[in-house]
């Protein structure tokens, strides 16, 4: 049973979708500590990418596993109810992500997608981010 009221659900959604989600803050701190400068949420680029390195022409996209439909991810479990609502919603997000990434690549940007579940191992995360930015 879905026990949330419509209001509670939209509050929860707002919280989950918050632009300054924990994994994003983590990655921002990490990038900052590596000494890179970046812009946040650039509205002039397709999909308003999260972390943009203009000079390097590189972008880091942070994807929440649930909202963005991380394939075969243990964090990405569909709710048991209201599938008629969630399935099209998540599928739509996923499609939009892929379309935006395609568009950005076409414009010459390199993209690193970091899924929420990949931020748990700090060492691995640091390796990925630093090799992406220094390549
Ligand atoms: Zn995941």
């Amino acid at each position: 049973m879905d026990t949330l009221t419509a209001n509670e659900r939209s509050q929860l959604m707002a919280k989950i979708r918050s632009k300054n989600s924990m994994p994003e803050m983590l990655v921002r701190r990490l990038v900052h500590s590596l000494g890179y400068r970046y812009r946040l949420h650039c509205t002039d680029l397709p999909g308003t990418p999260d972390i943009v390195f203009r000079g390097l022409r590189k972008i880091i996209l942070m994807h929440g596993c649930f909202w963005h439909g991380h394939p075969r991810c243990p964090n990405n479990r569909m709710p048991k109810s209201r599938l008629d609502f969630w399935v099209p919603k998540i599928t739509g997000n996923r499609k939009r992500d892929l379309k935006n990434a395609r568009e950005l690549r076409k414009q010459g940007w390199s993209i690193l997608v970091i899924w929420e579940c990949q931020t748990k191992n700090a060492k691995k995360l640091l390796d990925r981010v630093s090799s992406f930015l220094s390549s």
Side-chain angles (χ1 to χ4, degrees), residues 64-82:
C65 297
F66 175 69
W67 279 105
H68 295 265
H70 192 190
R72 292 177 301 279
C73 174
N75 288 5
N76 175 21
R77 287 201 199 91
M78 272 289 159
K80 296 222 176 0
S81 65
R82 303 249 331 192

Side-chain angles (χ1 to χ4, degrees), residues 27-94:
V27 172
R28 276 159 59 177
R29 268 204 304 275
L30 196 152
V31 166
H32 186 80
S33 73
L34 290 171
Y36 290 96
R37 299 180 129 208
Y38 53 84
R39 302 263 318 269
L40 295 173
H41 311 298
C42 291
T43 49
D44 59 327
L45 294 172
T48 314
D50 302 309
I51 306 176
V52 177
F53 305 86
R54 289 211 186 257
L56 298 172
R57 205 122 182 109
K58 288 177 182 181
I59 286 173
I60 294 180
L61 298 175
M62 298 298 305
H63 285 351
C65 297
F66 175 69
W67 279 105
H68 295 265
H70 192 190
R72 292 177 301 279
C73 174
N75 288 5
N76 175 21
R77 287 201 199 91
M78 272 289 159
K80 296 222 176 0
S81 65
R82 303 249 331 192
L83 284 177
D84 55 332
F85 171 77
W86 291 112
V87 172
K89 176 120 192 97
I90 304 292
T91 309
N93 288 347
R94 183 87 194 108

Side-chain angles (χ1 to χ4, degrees), residues 96-109:
R96 211 183 47 217
D97 288 340
L98 294 172
K99 183 168 161 284
N100 288 333
R102 216 166 34 236
E103 192 54 44
L104 288 166
R105 288 199 179 92
K106 227 192 277 172
Q107 294 180 16
W109 293 90

